[in-house]
Amino acid sequence: MTSSIPDLSVIIPCYNEEERLAPSLDDVLATLKDEPITFEIVAVDDGSDDGTVALINQYTEKHPHQVRLLALGENSGKGVAVTRGMLEAQGKRRLFMDADGSVPFREYRKLWKILDNGEDLAIGSRVAPGKSELVTKPTRRWVGWCFRQTLRMIGMNLVDDSQCGFKMFSAYCAEEVFTRIRSQGFGFDLEAIYLTRKLGFHFFEVRVEWHHRIGSKVDLLQDSIRILRDAFLTPIRHGRVRKISR
Ligand SMILES: Nc1nc2c(ncn2[C@@H]2O[C@H](COP(=O)(O)OP(=O)(O)O)[C@@H](O)[C@H]2O)c(=O)[nH]1
Ligand SMILES: [Mg+2]
């Protein structure tokens, strides 16, 4: 890193990711090595009880200027992990991504361009007509359908794909949004988009390449219900939030 404020921070929430994290970190480091930007990677350990911390430590030793570990100590949920990482990060732009590397990191360039165009938040989206492996399983399709209908009913259908773990914020937007986040689990994505809009920032959704990875720890039914509960509470929790005048 040449300047103390990196151009880009990459935040990776990690909960028991000893199996899936290394290829993702390698992908980020290899992609950014040849790009004309400075960067930092903030790996947030969410109280893992496997070898995740030891693995991250190997990377911090090998890449002390690029990789750092933020250890939460106890498992607190993805929302808490991303929030802490976003606020700990220093970068002018801050991207969070899942540890499983479902989105090839080179896709960050698409999000980067959107921020170049003056948006404050770029949202990676998996929505592709008839092409996702997820839509083949009937239970997932059914839960997904109920999930979307419920969001529509409560007016929280803000984007086509709120749950894809690949989003880039400007530092200003990240700080205003993540200091207000209340959802501890997977509901934080929707809450972040809601807050972005309510604070008067602008966002844009862009299709990114996405590959199904085994080892997901998401409980489809239970986590969908938790996300819907947070989605329902979000407008109540943030009723008083007003547009920031810029
Ligand atoms: N399941 C789960 N994931 C967490 C937690 N905290 C952080 N994460 C991270 O959230 C990301 C998404 O998890 P993943 O299992 O890939 O979800 P999926 O791709 O949506 O099925 C990964 O980087 C996890 O390591 C947590 O408490 N539970
Ligand atoms: Mg995943």
Side-chain angles (χ1 to χ4, degrees), residues 17 20 78 98-103 126 165 210-218:
E17 294 289 1
R20 309 195 297 175
K78 184 181 179 186
D98 286 351
D100 61 4
S102 282
V103 180
R126 295 163 294 188
W210 188 87
H211 301 272
H212 180 67
R213 295 275 186 259
I214 53 164
S216 166
K217 286 162 236 97
V218 172

Side-chain angles (χ1 to χ4, degrees), residues 141-155:
R141 223 180 326 172
W142 187 78
V143 173
W145 186 85
C146 293
F147 181 76
R148 283 189 298 277
Q149 293 308 313
T150 313
L151 286 183
R152 194 161 294 146
M153 262 160 34
I154 60 174

